[in-house]
């Protein structure tokens, strides 16, 4: 398949550059590493919800996407940031 040939070619390039870690190493780089990084960074950005990430990742079910849920900023933190932004424009914080 095309997916396997791209992945295989990528693996050969990484190996030829001397960047590949042993097969069982957590530092091993695969083409899938970029996919995981994309989803992780998107979740951490807080600019996409879990369903948008599911769509962008083309996951068939939400269970697969939920592995990134712990990276989403909490709703509480988002609300606190909103309140902080609102207070910046008011005199409630006092002018310094």
């Amino acid at each position: 398949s095309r997916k396997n040939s791209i992945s295989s070619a990528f693996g050969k390039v990484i190996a030829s550059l001397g960047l590949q870690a042993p097969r069982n190493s957590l530092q091993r780089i695969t083409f899938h590493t970029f996919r995981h990084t994309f989803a992780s960074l998107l979740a951490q950005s807080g600019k996409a919800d879990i369903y948008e990430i599911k769509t962008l990742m083309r996951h068939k079910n939400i269970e697969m996407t939920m592995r990134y849920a712990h990276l989403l900023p909490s709703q509480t933190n988002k609300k606190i940031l909103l309140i902080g932004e609102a207070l910046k424009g008011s005199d409630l914080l006092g002018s310094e």
Side-chain angles (χ1 to χ4, degrees):
S1 80
R2 182 175 177 167
K3 180 180 168 186
N4 287 339
S5 65
I6 291 171
S7 189
S8 177
F10 179 82
K12 288 176 185 174
V13 169
I14 294 298
S16 70
L17 293 172
L19 299 174
Q20 196 55 280
R23 192 167 286 282
N24 293 328
S25 170
L26 290 176
Q27 275 67 47
R28 187 165 180 80
I29 301 169
T30 66
F31 191 72
H32 191 79
T33 303
F34 292 109
R35 186 173 159 80
H36 178 70
T37 300
F38 168 77
S40 297
L41 292 175
L42 186 60
Q44 290 171 345
S45 78
K47 299 196 188 262
D49 64 32
I50 199 72
Y51 296 102
E52 291 168 321
I53 295 169
K54 176 188 178 290
T55 300
L56 291 167
M57 294 296 291
R58 303 176 131 216
H59 288 155
K60 288 187 171 94
N61 57 55
I62 196 69
E63 290 78 19
M64 180 65 76
T65 315
M66 289 305 291
R67 68 180 59 199
Y68 301 102
H70 73 283
L71 299 172
L72 292 166
S74 75
Q75 291 302 313
T76 303
N77 287 343
K78 284 184 182 179
K79 301 307 182 236
I80 290 170
L81 291 174
L82 287 173
I83 293 167
E85 289 298 314
L87 290 175
K88 278 184 187 175
S90 73
D91 286 335
L92 292 175
L93 292 179
S95 301
E96 294 183 27

